[in-house]
């Protein structure tokens, strides 16, 4: 059980982020310490070289002023003063023969480099090299010329520098060990803090999977990516919940609207079968059955068109449509129906405009609005179809009637599928006309809205993006 839990922790995003943070921190610190180590090592070596060069110049000056004997005495005194294990001096002839030196008992293993002497005599410049007495003890040696035919081998122990570097290395290891622990702890803390929002999203998703559709991800006070993810996730959940509720409502409405015509069809068939009668009764039953079936098919086809249009899977044409001409044609088409009800149907072209769109869809959209306006306007009323351009940005199609109107509580859900106001339930219809109109308007990048006063009439306004300025 413990192994499984540990393995699960190793696979978490927080653990991987911790490794990345600790790895980057350790790598960066290691590079910084390495550069500092190289800098310190170079600085100490340069300081030793400058000291050796300074002594070389002093002995050269002494040689010119007081001669070789003075140099011999000073060499011995300096070695004794500094410590015979700290420096040594040899005076050489150009062939490498030693003719004077300080106490060399500690430095007896230090040989004279023939290559360094050759380079010194060739370049006439001091030559400095490093020689190791043991694994930990190194010596910095200078070869120089202090006078005619007199060469100098001056060595200085680097023991102090070596001890300093070793202390620095020990400190580096201790600091790195502490840094690994500290980086891992800080990395884990920051990773856990960063992934708390992800865990909240995961936990909420699990609750929702178990059926708690009202659960939402809690938001924090920080305006960061995790908070934005939580807000986006919550908006998605709201949208999904709305869709689920819509599907439920649609299912209920479909069940109700399908049940009524099917019940009528069955009732007609049952009455006709159990009641003896002439052949024309069977013909009437068949005609009524066909009528109800047509109504069902029309409702189902309309629902399919709405769903496909909202999903964007309907292949639309991209015709250049003159909306004023199309609206005028729609008025001419509905004029007989308006005259039958003694309704005045008028068209007002207050601003011609063009759009890009699917002509049959636009025609059906306007037809639905005109059909509703005429249907719910009593005799003696009027219906006006108006086209105009709003501030030169959008084209507007307005259907205004003097009908029964829509109450305030019905204005928001009026475009929902199968929704019918109380006043309209006595009229024939499926409650899909306005839903279809809205879907078609939105598929063309437009909007549809309604304002209404009960008992005085309604105004449906469609706004569509303009295609291009009209050619004069």
């Amino acid at each position: 059980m413990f192994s499984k839990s540990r393995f699960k922790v190793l696979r978490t995003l927080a653990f991987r982020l911790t490794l990345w943070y600790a790895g980057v921190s350790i790598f960066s610190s290691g590079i910084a310490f390495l550069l500092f180590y190289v800098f310190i090592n170079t600085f100490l070596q340069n300081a030793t070289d400058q000291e050796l060069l300074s002594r070389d110049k002093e002995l050269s000056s002494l040689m010119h002023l007081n001669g070789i004997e003075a140099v011999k005495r000073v060499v011995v005194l300096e070695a004794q003063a500094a410590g015979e294990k700290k420096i040594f001096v040899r005076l050489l002839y150009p062939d490498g023969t030693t003719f004077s030196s300080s106490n060399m008992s500690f430095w007896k293993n230090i040989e004279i480099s023939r290559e360094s002497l050759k380079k010194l005599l060739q370049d006439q410049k001091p030559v400095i090299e490093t020689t190791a007495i043991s694994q930990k003890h190194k010596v910095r040696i200078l070869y120089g010329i202090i006078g005619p035919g007199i060469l100098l081998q001056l060595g200085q122990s680097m023991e102090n520098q070596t001890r300093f570097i070793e202390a620095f290395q020990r400190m580096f290891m201790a600091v790195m060990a502490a840094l690994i622990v500290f980086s891992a702890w800080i990395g884990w803390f920051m990773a856990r803090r960063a992934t708390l929002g992800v865990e909240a999203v995961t936990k909420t998703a699990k609750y929702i999977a178990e059926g708690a559709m009202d659960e939402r991800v809690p938001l924090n006070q920080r305006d960061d990516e995790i908070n934005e993810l939580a807000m986006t996730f919550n908006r998605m959940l709201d949208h999904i919940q709305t869709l689920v509720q819509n599907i439920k409502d649609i299912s209920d409405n479909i069940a109700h609207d399908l049940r009524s015509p099917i019940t009528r069809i069955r009732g007609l068939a049952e009455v006709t079968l159990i009641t003896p009668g002439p052949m024309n009764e069977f013909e009437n039953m068949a005609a009524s059955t066909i009528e109800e079936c047509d109504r069902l098919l029309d409702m189902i086809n309309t629902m399919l068109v709405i769903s496909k249009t909202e999903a964007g899977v309907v292949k639309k044409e991209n015709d250049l449509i003159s909306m004023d001409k199309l609206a005028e044609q729609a008025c001419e088409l509905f004029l007989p129906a308006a005259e039958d009800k003694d309704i005045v149907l008028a068209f007002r072209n207050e601003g011609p405009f063009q759009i890009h769109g699917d002509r049959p869809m636009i025609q059906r959209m306007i037809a639905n609005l005109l059909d509703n306006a005429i249907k719910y306007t009593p005799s003696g009323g009027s219906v006006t179809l108006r086209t105009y351009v709003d501030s030169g940005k959008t084209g507007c199609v307005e259907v205004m009637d003097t009908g029964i109107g829509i109450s305030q509580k019905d204005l928001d859900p009026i475009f929902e599928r199968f929704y019918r106001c109380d006043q309209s339930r006595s009229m024939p219809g499926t409650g899909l006309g306005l839903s279809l109109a809205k879907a078609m308007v939105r598929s063309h990048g437009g909007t549809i809205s309604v304002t209404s006063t009960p008992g005085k009439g309604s105004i449906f306004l469609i706004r569509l993006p303009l295609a291009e300025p009209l050619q004069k």
Side-chain angles (χ1 to χ4, degrees):
M1 183 69 180
F2 177 74
S3 298
K4 290 183 178 179
S5 177
R6 182 173 61 182
F7 183 70
K8 184 177 180 180
V9 171
L10 296 180
R11 294 173 57 187
T12 60
L13 176 62
F15 181 77
R16 292 198 295 271
L17 289 175
T18 301
L19 287 182
W20 273 102
Y21 180 82
V24 170
S25 298
I26 293 169
F27 178 76
S28 302
S29 302
I31 293 295
F33 270 103
L34 178 62
L35 293 175
F36 187 67
Y37 173 81
V38 172
F39 171 77
I40 290 295
N41 200 33
T42 304
F43 175 80
L44 293 176
Q45 182 172 293
N46 290 337
T48 301
D49 291 350
Q50 290 299 321
E51 189 173 350
L52 291 173
L53 290 170
S54 177
R55 286 180 178 176
D56 176 61
K57 289 181 180 179
E58 290 175 0
L59 292 176
S60 179
S61 299
L62 184 63
M63 176 71 183
H64 285 92
L65 294 175
N66 300 323
I68 189 63
E69 294 300 326
V71 172
K72 289 179 181 180
R73 290 194 301 270
V74 170
V75 161
V76 174
L77 292 174
E78 280 193 359
Q80 291 175 349
E84 294 179 347
K85 292 184 179 182
K86 298 295 182 182
I87 65 171
F88 72 88
V89 182
R90 280 178 177 155
L91 298 177
L92 312 172
Y93 291 122
D95 61 359
T97 303
T98 302
F99 67 87
S100 181
S101 68
S102 61
N103 188 349
M104 297 295 295
S105 58
F106 184 75
W107 309 98
K108 57 185 177 180
N109 294 327
I110 300 294
E111 298 180 352
I112 299 171
S113 174
R114 300 295 175 181
E115 292 183 3
S116 297
L117 290 178
K118 182 180 178 180
K119 186 177 181 182
L120 171 65
L121 295 173
Q122 182 179 351
D123 297 340
Q124 296 293 305
K125 293 180 180 180
V127 176
I128 303 176
E129 63 181 16
T130 301
T131 300
I133 299 177
S134 62
Q135 185 176 359
K136 294 185 177 181
H137 194 175
K138 295 181 180 181
V139 183
R140 194 70 171 160
I141 299 175
L142 176 142
Y143 293 90
I145 301 174
I146 61 173
I150 306 298
L151 307 183
L152 171 70
Q153 183 190 39
L154 177 61
Q156 180 171 321
S157 173
M158 299 181 69
E159 184 178 6
N160 291 337
Q161 291 89 331
T162 302
R163 288 178 181 175
F164 181 83
I165 295 298
E166 289 177 349
F168 176 79
Q169 290 174 345
R170 289 192 297 270
M171 181 186 69
F172 169 73
M173 297 302 295
V175 171
M176 285 300 294
L179 184 63
I180 290 174
V181 176
F182 183 73
S183 297
W185 183 81
I186 290 295
W188 178 257
F189 173 77
M190 294 181 66
R192 288 290 299 168
R193 185 177 177 85
T195 55
L196 281 177
V198 178
E199 291 182 1
V201 173
T202 303
K203 187 181 295 184
T204 303
K206 289 180 179 179
Y207 287 149
I208 292 173
E210 294 171 357
M213 296 297 294
D214 293 329
E215 286 290 332
R216 294 295 181 269
V217 181
L219 303 178
N220 56 45
Q221 300 299 322
R222 303 185 303 274
D223 188 18
D224 54 13
E225 292 84 353
I226 298 296
N227 200 51
E228 185 176 353
L229 171 64
M231 290 189 294
T232 304
F233 191 77
N234 287 341
R235 286 196 296 268
M236 180 190 69
L237 292 177
D238 293 337
H239 184 61
I240 291 175
Q241 189 172 21
T242 301
L243 291 177
V244 171
Q245 185 62 42
N246 289 341
I247 292 174
K248 182 178 180 299
D249 294 340
I250 290 171
S251 300
D252 294 341
N253 291 329
I254 290 175
H256 177 271
D257 285 293
L258 289 179
R259 182 173 58 190
S260 297
I262 291 175
T263 301
R264 287 195 293 270
I265 292 172
R266 187 182 184 282
L268 287 172
E270 185 177 3
V271 170
T272 304
L273 289 175
I274 65 176
T275 303
M279 182 58 65
N280 64 340
E281 291 188 4
F282 288 94
E283 293 175 351
N284 292 334
M285 181 201 71
S288 298
T289 301
I290 292 172
E291 183 180 349
E292 293 294 341
C293 288
D294 288 342
R295 181 174 177 273
L296 286 175
L297 288 174
D298 180 65
M299 181 177 65
I300 292 171
N301 288 333
T302 302
M303 288 175 53
L304 289 175
V305 172
I306 294 173
S307 298
K308 289 181 178 180
T309 303
E310 290 179 341
V313 298
V314 175
K315 184 178 180 181
K316 302 194 308 292
E317 298 296 332
N318 195 32
D319 302 326
L320 185 61
I321 304 172
S322 295
M323 288 300 296
D324 52 307
K325 295 180 180 179
L326 188 143
E328 186 176 9
Q329 293 171 359
C331 279
E332 293 175 356
L333 181 65
F334 278 88
L335 187 58
E339 290 175 347
D340 289 343
K341 288 190 65 176
D342 193 22
I343 294 173
V344 177
L345 177 59
F347 170 67
R348 288 160 50 188
N349 181 9
E350 298 180 3
F353 64 92
Q354 295 175 315
I355 67 166
H356 285 297
D358 187 282
R359 185 178 298 273
M361 291 181 68
I362 298 297
Q363 288 174 335
R364 187 169 183 180
M365 174 183 70
I366 296 177
N368 281 356
L369 296 180
L370 286 176
D371 182 61
N372 276 355
I374 294 173
K375 183 188 301 183
Y376 297 110
T377 298
S379 298
S382 65
V383 174
T384 303
L385 177 60
R386 186 165 69 106
T387 59
Y388 61 95
V389 177
D390 180 19
S391 302
K393 296 180 180 180
T394 57
C396 299
V397 179
E398 182 183 272
V399 178
M400 179 173 57
D401 63 60
T402 59
I404 59 177
I406 304 170
S407 64
Q408 188 65 34
K409 68 180 180 67
D410 293 323
L411 285 178
D412 289 336
I414 194 68
F415 293 103
E416 295 179 4
R417 299 183 195 181
F418 297 107
Y419 187 84
R420 304 191 72 189
C421 305
D422 294 336
Q423 306 96 311
S424 64
R425 296 189 183 277
S426 59
M427 307 287 286
T430 60
L432 293 173
L434 291 179
S435 298
L436 179 61
K438 180 180 179 180
M440 291 179 172
V441 170
R442 295 183 66 178
S443 70
H444 285 79
T447 61
I448 183 171
S449 59
V450 57
T451 56
S452 183
T453 303
K456 293 186 178 180
S458 305
I459 301 175
F460 284 85
L461 177 61
I462 297 172
R463 296 177 181 272
L464 296 169
L466 298 176
E468 58 185 19
L470 286 175
Q471 299 294 332
K472 293 186 178 180

